[in-house]
Amino acid sequence: MLENRTKITHDAAIVDEAITSRRSVRAFLPDMVDDDTIRAILAVAARAPSGTNMQPWRVYVTKGEVKKRITDAILNSGIRAEKAEWDEYRYYPDQFFEPYLTRRRANGFGLYSVLGIGRREVDRMRAQHDRNFVFFDAPVGMIFTVDRRLNKGSWIDYGMFLQNIMVAARGRGLHTCPQAAFAPYHKQIRPVLNIPDEEIVVCGMALGHEDTSKPENEFRTDRAPLEEWVTFAP
């Protein structure tokens, strides 16, 4: 019995560390991630649950020249992020409200603070946001799509799949950054990857080794205490 409890504690610590050490890394080293590792991460992530095992995910893995073509297509489009049209789906509400407004502002101000970007330095804020489109210099950039004929339940399933990728990456000493910023640029991305019209671009994700020398990777987000969002029913 004691041996079994020790194993459970050990296994829980490994899983918890993979989850809690996951964060959005915004500066990567150029060190390449080999295809076998990427395949292993995606294969284990695909064990995510999905309604009636539909497995609604589709992934486009890019590196090198193809990844650069995505970057160039977006940055040369002339469409600023604040003007980009979320015409496939809307990630954020039209009007933010509490407590989400405060959390959003704390996230943005916190990141800009470690980068030394002032609240009125709009050009520097835009430049930082544009780093999304180089996948924060990660050697691997993934684009995720879902069939537009599927319903909201499949999007819930998709979130679990994405989380699995990020946790599996941590188990291999890698980091990620999930990026909704790619979704409004699906018209620029589609011809590069030959994405069919029936697929909606859900998001992108950077994958690679963290550059620990960069200040943006010092930023840590908070989490609300359980008392704010958990109810134990009597």
Side-chain angles (χ1 to χ4, degrees):
M1 181 66 73
L2 179 59
E3 181 179 342
N4 186 49
R5 288 180 180 174
T6 301
K7 183 181 185 303
I8 291 172
T9 300
H10 176 263
D11 290 350
I14 292 174
V15 174
D16 289 354
E17 173 62 19
I19 294 172
T20 57
S21 66
R22 185 225 60 84
R23 52 193 170 80
S24 294
V25 163
R26 295 180 175 87
F28 289 84
L29 296 170
D31 305 20
M32 185 49 69
V33 180
D34 63 85
D35 285 352
D36 286 345
T37 298
I38 298 170
R39 290 178 183 276
I41 289 171
L42 294 175
V44 72
R47 296 305 306 175
S50 60
T52 64
N53 198 33
M54 289 194 296
Q55 306 170 65
W57 36 82
R58 181 164 177 78
V59 188
Y60 297 80
V61 180
T62 74
K63 302 177 181 179
E65 181 58 30
V66 175
K67 183 164 70 71
K68 185 177 184 300
R69 285 169 57 199
I70 294 174
T71 297
D72 291 343
I74 294 173
L75 294 182
N76 295 334
S77 69
I79 304 172
R80 294 295 325 161
E82 61 270 22
K83 299 293 185 180
E85 186 178 359
W86 288 79
D87 57 343
E88 296 278 63
Y89 78 96
R90 299 194 65 82
Y91 192 96
Y92 297 111
D94 293 330
Q95 185 69 42
F96 284 94
F97 50 94
E98 296 299 346
Y100 313 109
L101 177 61
T102 294
R103 293 173 185 171
R104 173 179 170 83
R105 285 175 171 170
N107 183 75
F109 293 152
L111 175 60
Y112 293 146
S113 177
V114 299
L115 288 167
I117 299 175
R119 297 189 181 188
R120 297 181 184 275
E121 295 183 281
V122 176
D123 287 344
R124 292 186 66 194
M125 291 180 183
R126 285 175 172 169
Q128 175 59 30
H129 185 274
D130 282 350
R131 283 191 42 75
N132 273 284
F133 306 125
V134 297
F135 294 93
F136 298 110
D137 296 324
V140 180
M142 293 181 282
I143 298 294
F144 299 87
T145 68
V146 67
D147 193 306
R148 67 177 67 252
R149 294 168 294 183
L150 295 175
N151 217 319
K152 292 179 180 178
S154 291
W155 286 71
I156 295 172
D157 300 338
Y158 217 119
M160 293 184 278
F161 170 66
L162 293 171
Q163 175 73 358
N164 271 4
I165 293 174
M166 293 182 278
V167 172
R170 289 302 302 126
R172 291 160 175 82
L174 299 169
H175 273 285
T176 56
C177 185
Q179 300 165 272
F182 284 98
Y185 292 94
H186 64 92
K187 293 177 183 177
Q188 287 71 39
I189 298 170
R190 285 182 189 281
V192 177
L193 299 178
N194 294 316
I195 299 174
D197 289 340
E198 63 265 23
E199 294 178 21
I200 293 175
V201 172
V202 176
C203 66
M205 185 184 292
L207 171 69
H209 297 272
E210 177 187 9
D211 185 344
T212 58
S213 72
K214 299 298 185 181
E216 52 264 53
N217 287 337
E218 298 174 7
F219 177 57
R220 300 290 186 274
T221 55
D222 295 325
R223 291 296 184 271
L226 266 63
E227 290 75 17
E228 288 189 16
W229 50 272
V230 175
T231 300
F232 286 90

